[in-house]
Amino acid sequence: DAGVTQSPTHLIKTRGQQVTLRCSPKSGHDTVSWYQQALGQGPQFIFQYYEEEERQRGNFPDRFSGHQFPNYSSELNVNALLLGDSALYLCASSLEIGPNSPLHFGNGTRLTVT
Amino acid sequence: GIQVEQSPPDLILQEGANSTLRCNFSDSVNNLQWFHQNPWGQLINLFYIPSGTKQNGRLSATTVATERYSLLYISSSQTTDSGVYFCAAQTPNNNDMRFGAGTRLTVKP
């Protein structure tokens, strides 16, 4: 049973560039959430996708956008990268939207912006 | 939104010791999870426990939803238990799991 997979594992970008991160949910899961974890902090919610639509968004600027595909996989795009975007980006999947659905996390993509 | 506070922020134990980690939350929840983040950043789901008590080997957790707190117990700690433990909570009608700042556990041999 494949868990949540993310790619790439590491990425180095320059300020102003754009980046795309990818996530495949755990088999059977249909909901994908993205989190940003800065060094020494807990993960912060970016947004959640269900049925190919953004269902909820955290306190992140429009530079952060996403997409969910018919096979439930998802992408996170960040435009006009800032140094402060350097973080571990975590993807989590769950079986159904809403309560009573535990999150399962991937290993993350570590993004460094120079 | 819901506030999630964890204590203590740091904990150093000798191998074999027991410990209790606490998570307080500011609102009624219908989803609460405990995670262990290893040094490589992987978040491992320990317990899904919006209420009640669960045990898994040397680990157990209790959530008292009416009093808005959860406890994670680690018994006979091992060096491999080291890492950061996070509590995350979700309120009804909200798809955002809110994380605490974590407890950094170091178990010394």
Side-chain angles (χ1 to χ4, degrees), chain A residues 6 9 11 14-15 39 45 47 51 61 91-92 99 113:
Chain A
Q6 292 186 242
T9 55
L11 203 52
T14 304
R15 274 180 301 175
L39 197 62
F45 176 76
F47 42 52
E51 291 188 338
C91 171
V113 182

Side-chain angles (χ1 to χ4, degrees), chain A residues 74-90:
Chain A
S74 177
E75 289 181 348
L76 164 65
N77 301 293
V78 187
N79 294 323
L81 285 167
L82 304 174
L83 295 179
D85 295 332
S86 295
L88 179 67
Y89 288 85
L90 294 161

